[in-house]
Amino acid sequence: MSHAAAKASIGDSEFDRDTTVTARADEPGVYDAELSAGWTIITAVNGGYLLALVGRALSAALPHPDPFTVSAHYLTSSVPGPAVIRTQVARVGRTLSTGQASLFQYDESGAEVERIRVLASYGDLSSLSDDVRTVALPPAMPAYEDCLGAESGPAPIPGSSAIVDRLRLRLDPATAGWAVGAPSGKGEMRAWFELADGRDADPLSLLLAVDALPPTAFDLGLIGWTPTVELTTHIRRRPAAGPLRVAITTRNLAGGFLEEDAEVWDSADRLVAQSRQLARAPRQA
């Protein structure tokens, strides 16, 4: 059951509007987009939102509908405004097709600057069998109503509230001590996740979900921008309707970089997405 006050269907939500891509009639495989300021952290556009945007372009360019594995390298910080996505089909098979895509923006001189480069394989999630053999378990979290929403405290980073307004996150209190100056030091973050307008999750929004929570660096006592260097996401199933549970852990921060491993579980207790990213730890004064 969605806990949002109003529910948007797929196709008319803020997420769909802000990840719209428009094919160029005279350049096959090239798409124009507008990066929305509604998905920013401080001044940079969120990496999960960018991944979903590029993912939508690849779903248009490839014959299979759903992302299975998506690996992205973030080359430069993206900012709100026009962008162009250039895709290339690498291989088309019976069950999987693979392509690559790069998102570019323009500098002051009008030259293209590459922001993100993606390699991805797509398939059809509806064709997967129901044979599941796993030792993975959903994260142990309090009920939705017992977790902490944005109304429970101020935004942790000045100017970071834009993306918060697009999401409905409710943090597990055990991983929210950083917000009151008492991080646990365990490098964990858990939350219930929904889009703020109540739109149910789909494979593309899972690409956003894996990078939508506050960074685990906050739970290590390091508050600040934690830019993604590389992010690989595996989409395992089409999610059931209702809020998702997202659990992220970091086991090793070294040399100013940390890894984040994420799991996303749906309302039917199914593991629907997994990811690992390398990120730069916040710079400390």
Side-chain angles (χ1 to χ4, degrees):
M1 180 180 69
S2 172
H3 294 264
K7 184 165 183 168
S9 62
I10 292 176
D12 63 3
S13 76
E14 291 176 322
F15 175 78
D16 296 304
R17 180 196 66 205
D18 292 342
T19 57
T20 296
V21 296
T22 303
R24 291 187 178 178
D26 55 343
E27 294 184 78
V30 179
Y31 302 85
D32 289 303
E34 183 76 17
L35 304 190
S36 169
W39 303 90
T40 53
I41 300 175
I42 309 179
T43 58
V45 179
N46 171 261
Y49 164 72
L50 291 173
L51 200 61
L53 182 69
V54 175
R56 194 176 294 282
L58 281 166
S59 69
L62 295 171
H64 291 94
D66 301 316
F68 273 36
T69 176
V70 183
S71 295
H73 284 262
Y74 295 80
L75 308 180
T76 52
S77 298
S78 299
V79 295
V84 58
I85 302 169
R86 302 185 184 279
T87 68
Q88 181 179 351
V89 177
R91 180 184 182 276
V92 174
R94 186 175 60 85
T95 58
L96 289 175
S97 54
T98 300
Q100 60 185 20
S102 290
L103 183 147
F104 299 86
Q105 289 190 293
Y106 305 97
D107 64 16
E108 295 80 1
S109 69
E112 286 188 346
V113 178
E114 189 173 6
R115 303 298 196 193
I116 176 176
R117 185 176 297 186
V118 172
L119 181 65
S121 290
Y122 276 55
D124 185 352
L125 289 168
S126 64
S127 69
L128 298 182
S129 76
D130 292 326
D131 182 18
V132 177
R133 310 177 195 191
T134 183
V135 297
L137 296 173
M141 289 173 53
Y144 184 98
E145 294 76 10
D146 296 328
C147 289
L148 305 175
E151 72 282 358
S152 302
I157 309 174
S160 69
S161 61
I163 190 171
V164 174
D165 292 340
R166 297 295 187 274
L167 304 176
R168 189 175 296 270
L169 294 179
R170 298 192 69 86
L171 292 176
D172 182 340
T175 67
W178 53 269
V180 293
S184 77
K186 295 179 180 179
E188 299 176 345
M189 201 66 64
R190 293 184 295 273
W192 294 89
F193 170 94
E194 289 182 292
L195 294 171
D197 58 17
R199 175 201 189 273
D200 282 322
D202 69 351
L204 282 179
S205 66
L206 292 176
L207 297 176
L208 166 68
V210 298
D211 194 44
L213 272 58
T216 53
F218 289 8
D219 192 46
L220 296 173
L222 303 174
I223 304 297
W225 185 39
T226 310
T228 302
V229 177
E230 187 271 344
L231 172 59
T232 294
T233 303
H234 298 160
I235 305 301
R236 308 304 302 272
R237 298 182 70 95
R238 191 177 299 278
L244 303 169
R245 284 160 292 172
V246 184
I248 307 178
T249 59
T250 287
R251 297 192 303 164
N252 190 56
L253 187 158
F257 293 85
L258 56 90
E259 93 289 345
E260 287 193 339
D261 291 317
E263 291 185 352
V264 183
W265 294 78
D266 71 4
S267 59
D269 285 344
R270 301 178 307 177
L271 181 61
V272 294
Q274 298 166 282
S275 73
R276 165 165 280 204
Q277 70 168 281
L278 180 70
R280 194 172 65 215
R283 293 191 174 98
Q284 302 301 293

